[in-house]
Amino acid sequence: MVDSALAGASHPTVPLTPMTVPAHQAEDRSKAFHDVMAQRRTVRDYDDRPIPDGVIEWAVRTASTAPSGAHVQPWRFVVITDPERKRLLREAAEAEEREFYSHRASEEWLAALAPIGTDWHKPFLEDAPAVIVVFEVHKGPNSPRPYYTKESVGIAVGLLLASLHQAGLATLTHTPSPMRFLNEVCDRPAEERAAYVIPVGYPAEGARVPDLRRKDLDEVMVRL
């Protein structure tokens, strides 16, 4: 039976190829994915072990499968591995972070950050073998107007982090504010607006992370 909403539609379509999972395996597969992702932690200490070839490329491909408003795909992933470029990135980011911790952040915000132990020092921007700077792509000479830009890019970044974690790599989501300096560091046009800075690599030997707990299911899920 043809869906009346699609009958006579002018847009092209192709047959759906669904991912088929037997019902009796669905929960086990969902739990297995959870058990891997539950090990994901934000890491601030990296060693210099190189990232295997192709991993970042496949992670970006995975991120680009994310849904986006009007399918505009308003994202750009800039992968920085050049040591000099990473040095410039760190210097510029730390300048903004010093202002944040000294003047911009409220006492309430600083108190919320205290258990994590962060400050303006960002050595991971140089230590990690790669840094991915994610930009929102807005309307410009060669790009259309995007829709639901932040939501679209946020979903893509979630897939990026999951893919990198599945490959055994550690990440961190850094959001210096303001971020306009990243256009210069990354040689990007004005219509692209930086949204995330993500160091990627293997954790340093003996790396430690804050002792935090995730909320229980009944704190984050409501059934109606």
Side-chain angles (χ1 to χ4, degrees), residues 156-179:
V157 167
L159 291 176
L160 178 75
L161 298 179
S163 180
L164 293 168
H165 178 69
Q166 290 280 326
L169 294 168
T171 57
L172 177 147
T173 47
H174 178 45
T175 53
S177 180
M179 291 192 177

Side-chain angles (χ1 to χ4, degrees), residues 90-103:
R90 177 184 177 181
E91 288 179 354
E94 287 187 337
E96 295 294 350
E97 291 293 280
R98 278 194 295 268
E99 285 297 308
F100 171 81
Y101 281 94
S102 300
H103 303 105

Side-chain angles (χ1 to χ4, degrees), residues 81 90 140 212:
T81 57
R90 177 184 177 181
L212 305 175

Side-chain angles (χ1 to χ4, degrees), residues 18-156:
M19 179 177 176
T20 303
V21 176
H24 69 277
Q25 294 180 11
E27 183 179 0
D28 287 344
R29 291 183 64 161
S30 183
K31 180 182 181 300
F33 184 74
H34 162 270
D35 291 347
V36 172
M37 294 308 301
Q39 298 176 52
R40 190 206 61 79
R41 292 298 305 268
T42 292
V43 171
R44 292 177 169 81
D45 300 304
Y46 295 85
D47 70 19
D48 58 1
R49 206 177 352 155
I51 296 170
D53 291 343
V55 172
I56 288 180
E57 288 81 359
W58 281 113
V60 171
R61 287 187 181 98
T62 297
S64 295
T65 68
S68 61
H71 195 56
V72 172
Q73 305 165 80
W75 42 65
R76 186 86 65 229
F77 301 88
V78 178
V79 181
I80 303 175
T81 57
D82 175 65
E84 177 61 16
R85 188 87 63 163
K86 288 193 293 179
R87 183 187 66 79
L88 293 173
L89 170 60
R90 177 184 177 181
E91 288 179 354
E94 287 187 337
E96 295 294 350
E97 291 293 280
R98 278 194 295 268
E99 285 297 308
F100 171 81
Y101 281 94
S102 300
H103 303 105
R104 295 184 189 135
S106 66
E107 289 300 318
E108 183 179 22
W109 196 341
L110 292 175
L113 291 172
I116 303 175
T118 60
D119 58 24
W120 65 267
H121 296 88
K122 307 299 175 187
F124 46 76
L125 295 175
E126 280 192 278
D127 295 342
V131 178
I132 303 175
V133 183
V134 186
F135 287 82
E136 302 170 357
V137 181
H138 292 262
K139 184 174 175 58
N142 300 301
S143 55
R145 182 181 304 281
Y147 303 92
Y148 300 102
T149 312
K150 292 189 181 300
E151 295 87 344
S152 302
V153 173
I155 296 169

